Amino acid sequence: MAASPVTDEDRLRRIEQITDTALAHLGLEELLTELLDRVCLLLEADTAAVLLLDPSGANLVATAARGIEEEVRQGVRIPVGKGFAGRIAAERRAVFVDEVDHSNVLNPILREKDVRSLVGVPLVAEGGVLGVLHVGTLRPRLFTNDDAELLQTAADRIALVTRTHLSDLDRAAASALQRSLMPGALPRVSGIEFAARYIPGEAGGLGGDWYDVFTLPSGRIGIVIGDVVGRGLQAAVIMGRLRSALRAFALEEDDPAEVLERLDGNVQHFEDGVMATVLYAIVEPSLDRVSLSTAGHLPPLLAVPDEGAALLNVPVDLPVGVSVGPPRRTTVIDLPAGSLLFLYTDGLVERRGQPLDAGLDALCGAVTVDDGDAVCARVLHDLVGATAVGDDVAMLVVRRLGTPDVVPLNIVVPAVPRTLADIRSAVRRWLGAVGASPDDAADVLVAVGEACSNVIEHAYGPAGGTLSLQMELRDGAVVTVVRDNGRWRSARGHNRGRGTSLIQRCSDHVDVVAGAGGTTVTFTRHLAQEGS
């Protein structure tokens, strides 16, 4: 016997169930799950999902789902403006998909689940888009405008209760703290790509996992991934303190092992009973080498085109916060053009009842040289899938783009004498990377030293200032630019003011532009060809 058609009165009653005050005692995730059950019933759908905007407002993150729970477990992220859900958020209107395929749906889970048709609407609260609500069927269906209006009515009420819970619950405040401690946006560096993910564990509460990427005054790049032992708000707060302390030590030490040694001392002195695993790495300005040290943290993977991914054979020292042990060690590895470095926390590979090696082997099989975001998505799909993960997961991808060219060197440091040694070290490494001969390198180093010394001596008074150095390879020539924003003082003493002459003797061309806003010195040195 055929089922009776749903009357308007039935639909009105089901809509009223969306705002049932008896649900007010539920937590946000439980509430959304219950509401999605009712939405599926309301629209006779097989799947339903809520995706909320992340703090940056650039991505939608799967928060609750029915029929496609993998979306939440894998932390599916959809960029605003892309794919089905992204279009809904960007255009703030209902979007219909009569037949799901690669051209109209970005999320592969919907295709894997054989979802055939979709309709989605924006979640709008207090005039702003909070996220997206969508439903789907496992059979072809032409959703109508009436269906979209009904779904929008439900979405408006879901948005209201969601906004209320996000504002009221302590967990929402704690989650905001966790997100604020992660980098809002990873640095943009010519010749290198970064991607990262943080997925909270389903055990509840916050963890102490974190990642960080920052540029250093020497032109190098600092990379961190770590995990504070424990859970809850306190672990997240400690994580924030460790992150800040490590950044401070990274400005003072060039050796990753020394940075971790100082961090260890800080933890043992100030953080009673705290232990954390941390991996700190420094990428050279030329991008061809990485020096790293690991304090109890699992070794990263290196993926090279046509060779797959493998764990790096690096020594693992004691975690920070443990009693004094052997000296920490730094390992230098090559980062070839086109290769990819993958860092992660143990929540990605550890599973109860399974050996750690099984998780590491699965990770090696999932990591390939590819777009950073695609690598993150594939790893989560293969290693997390539909499985509930109890621990937090953090991961960081460092992909060197497939170009053999050496990227420019950019250094901005205080104009004080102690920075000269760091400048010379960075320039010497960069010149080696571009293949400068010993004679060319010696002359360029002299010219750079004179130009930087002139800034330190003449450009600023007691208030001090900054020195900017840029070097790049153009058509076989090293072009160097040294800038300041001070007003030069006259040379003092006898036999002074000869720096410019020395720069001219060590270069093929020199150009000096001085003005009220500072002085720019540009000099060029053509490198000798091999065999000449």
Side-chain angles (χ1 to χ4, degrees):
M1 181 175 178
S4 301
V6 178
T7 66
D8 289 343
E9 183 178 350
D10 289 332
R11 289 193 172 189
L12 180 60
R13 186 172 62 255
R14 293 176 186 177
I15 289 173
E16 289 173 348
Q17 290 178 344
I18 299 294
T19 53
D20 187 352
T21 56
L23 303 179
H25 69 284
L26 297 178
L28 179 60
E29 292 181 7
E30 294 175 303
L31 174 65
L32 289 177
T33 300
E34 178 65 28
L35 293 177
L36 289 183
D37 281 335
R38 299 183 181 197
V39 167
C40 284
L41 182 62
L42 176 67
L43 281 162
E44 300 177 328
D46 301 303
T47 68
V50 168
L51 298 91
L52 299 181
L53 284 175
D54 67 6
S56 72
N59 296 282
L60 292 162
V61 180
T63 305
R66 299 303 287 171
I68 45 173
E69 287 79 2
E70 291 90 335
E71 280 202 359
V72 179
R73 289 172 177 158
Q74 295 182 31
V76 166
R77 294 157 58 100
I78 304 296
V80 172
K82 295 185 178 180
F84 168 65
R87 281 184 57 203
I88 297 169
E91 299 174 13
R92 297 174 64 120
R93 65 174 182 84
V95 173
F96 301 82
V97 174
D98 296 335
E99 186 66 35
V100 170
D101 60 35
H102 289 271
S103 67
N104 51 35
V105 170
L106 195 61
N107 182 6
I109 294 174
L110 295 173
R111 300 192 296 271
E112 292 171 3
K113 287 287 186 177
D114 289 325
V115 175
R116 301 295 298 276
S117 302
L118 293 161
V119 61
V121 295
L123 296 173
V124 179
E126 299 178 4
V129 173
L130 185 65
V132 165
L133 167 67
H134 67 69
V135 297
T137 59
L138 301 181
R139 63 192 185 285
R141 173 175 169 180
L142 294 177
F143 284 103
T144 66
N145 289 330
D146 287 341
D147 293 327
E149 290 178 6
L150 197 59
L151 187 62
Q152 187 65 67
T153 301
D156 291 342
R157 302 188 181 192
I158 288 176
L160 181 62
V161 297
T162 299
R163 173 68 74 183
T164 301
H165 276 70
L166 286 175
S167 301
D168 294 345
L169 296 177
D170 289 342
R171 181 176 181 182
S175 296
L177 170 63
Q178 177 89 37
R179 292 193 296 269
S180 72
L181 294 173
M182 297 293 179
L186 298 174
R188 293 186 177 183
V189 179
S190 177
I192 201 165
E193 175 194 39
F194 298 105
R197 290 287 189 277
Y198 171 79
I199 308 298
E202 294 191 13
L206 293 173
D209 295 30
W210 91 95
Y211 61 85
D212 200 7
V213 180
F214 47 84
T215 56
L216 295 164
S218 63
R220 290 184 278 185
I221 307 161
I223 298 169
V224 187
I225 195 158
D227 183 3
V228 176
V229 176
R231 295 194 62 79
L233 182 59
Q234 184 63 18
V237 170
I238 293 170
M239 177 267 284
R241 292 201 290 261
L242 265 60
R243 173 179 178 267
S244 297
L246 190 148
R247 281 189 164 203
F249 298 142
L251 291 175
E252 300 174 354
E253 301 288 350
D254 292 329
D255 183 359
E258 288 298 323
V259 171
L260 293 183
E261 190 68 34
R262 295 190 62 178
L263 181 66
D264 189 16
N266 178 280
V267 170
Q268 294 195 44
H269 185 79
F270 293 107
E271 309 290 354
D272 185 40
V274 168
M275 185 174 74
T277 66
V278 187
L279 187 151
Y280 177 50
I282 298 176
V283 182
E284 293 293 331
S286 60
L287 307 183
D288 61 348
R289 291 192 310 169
V290 178
S291 55
L292 62 90
S293 182
T294 174
H297 206 84
L298 291 169
L301 275 68
L302 181 66
V304 179
D306 302 323
E307 295 184 17
L311 290 169
L312 287 173
N313 184 19
V314 297
V316 179
D317 300 317
L318 291 175
V320 299
V322 178
S323 58
V324 177
R328 299 188 181 277
R329 294 160 289 181
T330 292
T331 303
V332 179
I333 64 167
D334 293 328
L335 190 65
S339 61
L340 180 145
L341 193 65
F342 186 90
L343 295 80
Y344 55 97
T345 55
D346 56 11
L348 182 63
V349 293
E350 288 186 345
R351 297 290 182 272
R352 184 174 297 177
Q354 296 183 8
L356 177 61
D357 286 347
L360 293 173
D361 289 344
L363 181 60
C364 289
V367 173
T368 59
V369 176
D370 198 351
D371 172 81
D373 285 324
V375 172
C376 290
R378 183 166 55 251
V379 167
L380 289 170
H381 180 276
D382 291 356
L383 273 74
V384 176
T387 305
V389 178
D391 198 4
D392 299 354
V393 172
M395 62 179 70
L396 179 62
V397 173
V398 183
R399 178 190 176 206
R400 186 178 175 195
L401 301 181
T403 171
D405 297 334
V406 177
V407 300
L409 175 65
N410 291 283
I411 296 176
V412 179
V413 293
V416 294
R418 64 177 173 80
T419 62
L420 289 175
D422 292 337
I423 292 173
R424 282 194 294 269
S425 296
V427 170
R428 188 178 292 110
R429 288 191 297 268
W430 188 85
L431 289 171
V434 302
S437 69
D439 288 343
D440 287 334
D443 283 350
V444 173
L445 280 167
V446 168
V448 169
E450 287 298 323
C452 293
S453 296
N454 284 344
V455 170
I456 292 169
E457 183 173 357
H458 300 295
Y460 301 104
T466 58
L467 181 159
S468 169
L469 169 68
Q470 296 175 303
M471 301 180 72
E472 62 178 312
L473 190 63
R474 298 181 194 166
D475 299 326
V478 173
V479 180
T480 304
V481 181
V482 177
R483 293 188 180 92
D484 64 74
N485 55 6
R487 297 176 65 88
W488 280 48
R489 302 188 300 271
S490 301
R492 292 168 289 179
H494 299 290
N495 300 318
R496 307 306 296 269
R498 296 181 178 179
T500 302
S501 298
L502 191 53
I503 295 171
Q504 290 173 335
R505 288 200 296 271
C506 294
S507 307
D508 296 313
H509 177 76
V510 179
D511 183 48
V512 179
V513 178
T519 299
T520 299
V521 179
T522 305
F523 47 96
T524 303
R525 170 72 179 232
H526 292 277
L527 301 183
Q529 301 295 317
E530 289 188 16
S532 61

